[in-house]
Every structure is written in structure tokens, then in C-alpha cells.
């Protein structure tokens, strides 16, 4: 049974710092991994999707890496801004025919001005 | 383009009552998913529609939950009778291609008292 874990559960850093959010999963047989962002009272927004054959994806100040063999992914945020404050979730999909994605419990990030 | 719309945004009902949640996906998205997050837990998959057909309903917790998507457009999720443990946030998402390109709604916060 796939389990996705995100540590830490909460993180507070001053503006301008670079930071790393961690995600681990127990079953390395994944099809892809996604990072989402959720703002309070809002839906989830997909940030980055990494296919199992890829090592990383970049979008602006965000970089996500994937090490499938060790069951780990990281989301790197460069030069953090107060607007980056949100809950960040990672989720894995087992196969191309799988309907569901399995979420971690998220990291609540707060960027202090 | 309009996003995924869910209503109501909040619902407070008494144990034993019935509640119906509605989701309007993005027009043209054949894939519609329901997820929920109960207090302190991860977001978990409930079911997946492809058009009007249930592709995967393995996440439905019990037979008190009934999902429909008549005509392959909007979907409803009915809980009858509601129990205290059903409290949480129910998210709907849609996508054009299964498993990728999700757009999530803002969720319905259900409180059963």
C-alpha cells in the first residue's frame, strides 16, 4: 500500500531564503509525481509534474526533483516571497491507468516579511 | 475559461440528515474526480467518472455515499444518512486527460453535528 509522507508539517522562514520541502513515498513503482499548492479556502493548483522517467522539472523559482529508487522528491523554492505562503502537497500516481493520485498530508509554509 | 465550481461552499447538517454536494467541471472535461480531506488526514480519493460512467469507485467509504453524473456533465455526491465522521472538505476535480492536468474546485466544507 502506497504511503506518502511530507516532513516537516509546517515551516516558517524569512523572506528571501531558499528552501526545500520534502516528500517520500513507500512504493517506488510510480507513474508520476505532482506538487500542488493550496491557499486557504481555495482549491489545489498543480505546480509541477514529474514523470517517473524524469529527474527534475523547473518552473520559474520552483524546481522539483525525483529519485524514484529511494522514494523521494524535493520541491526547491528559490528566493522565497510572502506570496509563496501556502500548503504544499505532493501526490503520486501508480500507473497510467490509475484513476487516483495519493496525497501526502502537506507542508504548511509561512514566509515572514 | 470557468474553473471547477462546487456548491455549497459550506454545509452544516445534523447527524442522520441528507446532504447533496454538487460539482460543475470545466466544460469538455470528460474526467471528473471526487476527493475528500477529513480532519487531520490526507486528501483521499473517492471516485472517478469518465463521462457518465464510474471508472473507479474504490475510494467510496460505504454505501451511505452515492455519486452520480447524469449526462456526463455536472456531478452530485449525496451522503445519506450523514455521520459525524463524514465531516471534512470534499473536493472535486476535472481533467481532459485522465490523471494529468487536474483543475480542482475550492471544495465544500461539510460539518456534521
Amino acid at each position: 500500500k502506497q504511503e506518502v509522507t511530507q516532513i516537516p508539517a509546517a515551516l516558517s522562514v524569512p523572506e528571501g531564503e531558499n528552501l526545500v520541502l520534502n516528500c517520500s513515498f513507500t512504493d517506488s513503482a510510480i507513474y508520476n509525481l505532482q506538487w500542488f499548492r493550496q491557499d486557504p479556502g481555495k482549491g489545489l493548483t498543480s505546480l509541477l509534474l514529474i514523470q517517473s522517467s524524469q529527474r527534475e522539472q523547473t518552473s520559474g523559482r520552483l524546481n522539483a526533483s525525483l529519485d524514484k529508487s529511494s522514494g523521494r522528491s524535493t520541491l526547491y523554492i528559490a528566493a522565497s516571497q510572502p506570496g509563496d505562503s501556502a500548503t504544499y502537497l505532493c501526490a503520486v500516481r501508480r500507473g497510467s491507468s490509475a484513476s487516483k493520485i495519493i496525497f501526502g498530508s502537506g507542508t504548511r509554509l509561512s514566509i515572514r516579511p | 475559461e470557468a474553473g471547477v465550481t462546487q456548491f455549497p461552499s459550506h454545509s452544516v447538517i445534523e447527524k442522520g440528515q441528507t446532504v447533496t454536494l454538487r460539482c460543475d467541471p470545466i466544460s469538455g472535461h470528460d474526467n471528473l474526480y471526487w476527493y475528500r480531506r477529513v480532519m487531520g488526514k490526507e486528501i483521499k480519493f473517492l471516485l472517478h467518472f469518465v463521462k457518465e460512467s464510474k471508472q473507479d469507485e474504490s475510494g467510496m467509504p460505504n454505501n451511505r455515499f452515492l455519486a452520480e453524473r447524469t449526462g456526463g456533465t455536472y456531478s452530485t455526491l449525496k451522503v445519506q444518512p450523514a455521520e459525524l465522521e463524514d465531516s471534512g472538505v470534499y473536493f472535486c476535480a476535472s481533467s481532459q486527460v485522465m490523471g494529468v492536468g487536474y483543475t480542482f474546485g475550492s471544495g465544500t466544507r461539510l460539518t456534521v453535528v
Side-chain angles (χ1 to χ4, degrees):
Chain A
K1 179 188 169 189
Q2 178 72 273
E3 292 185 3
V4 181
T5 304
Q6 292 186 248
I7 296 174
L11 181 64
S12 178
V13 301
E15 180 178 3
E17 278 201 5
N18 303 323
L19 59 99
V20 175
L21 306 181
N22 296 295
C23 172
S24 61
F25 45 96
T26 54
D27 186 349
S28 62
I30 64 169
Y31 182 68
N32 61 37
L33 181 145
Q34 296 186 66
W35 282 92
F36 291 87
R37 167 186 173 138
Q38 185 183 17
D39 293 282
K42 301 285 181 63
L44 283 68
T45 301
S46 181
L47 297 173
L48 291 163
L49 181 147
I50 312 177
Q51 298 293 353
S52 61
S53 58
Q54 296 175 319
R55 297 283 292 181
E56 65 178 344
Q57 282 286 339
T58 298
S59 175
R61 294 182 294 108
L62 306 180
N63 176 277
S65 69
L66 174 64
D67 184 342
K68 205 173 77 157
S69 61
S70 67
R72 294 177 186 274
S73 176
T74 62
L75 179 67
Y76 175 82
I77 303 177
S80 59
Q81 303 170 358
D84 295 330
S85 298
T87 295
Y88 291 80
L89 301 119
C90 72
V92 300
R93 187 168 169 227
R94 180 172 177 80
S96 60
S97 62
S99 288
K100 66 180 176 182
I101 56 176
I102 300 168
F103 284 88
S105 54
T107 294
R108 191 171 64 254
L109 177 64
S110 175
I111 308 297
R112 306 189 300 269
Chain B
E1 128 186 298
V4 175
T5 305
Q6 292 186 248
F7 50 91
S9 56
H10 294 83
S11 180
V12 181
I13 62 170
E14 293 184 352
K15 176 182 171 181
Q17 289 187 322
T18 297
V19 63
T20 300
L21 314 181
R22 173 168 167 149
C23 170
D24 286 71
I26 290 176
S27 178
H29 280 193
D30 288 342
N31 296 278
L32 185 149
Y33 316 81
W34 284 97
Y35 284 80
R36 76 170 179 177
R37 184 172 197 161
V38 296
M39 184 68 74
K41 299 287 184 69
E42 301 84 5
I43 297 172
K44 290 196 172 175
F45 171 82
L46 294 177
L47 87 159
H48 168 212
F49 284 100
V50 178
K51 297 185 180 179
E52 68 275 11
S53 299
K54 292 176 185 174
Q55 179 79 7
D56 181 351
E57 53 183 329
S58 61
M60 295 288 265
N62 52 60
N63 59 11
R64 294 186 294 103
F65 288 76
L66 175 64
E68 294 180 322
R69 191 182 182 195
T70 306
T73 54
Y74 71 90
S75 175
T76 58
L77 179 64
K78 180 161 63 173
V79 185
Q80 178 182 29
E83 299 289 344
L84 299 178
E85 64 264 25
D86 300 332
S87 297
V89 181
Y90 290 75
F91 291 101
C92 174
S94 71
S95 69
Q96 201 161 34
V97 176
M98 186 177 80
V100 294
Y102 291 94
T103 299
F104 276 82
S106 300
T108 293
R109 181 173 295 278
L110 174 65
T111 303
V112 183
V113 297

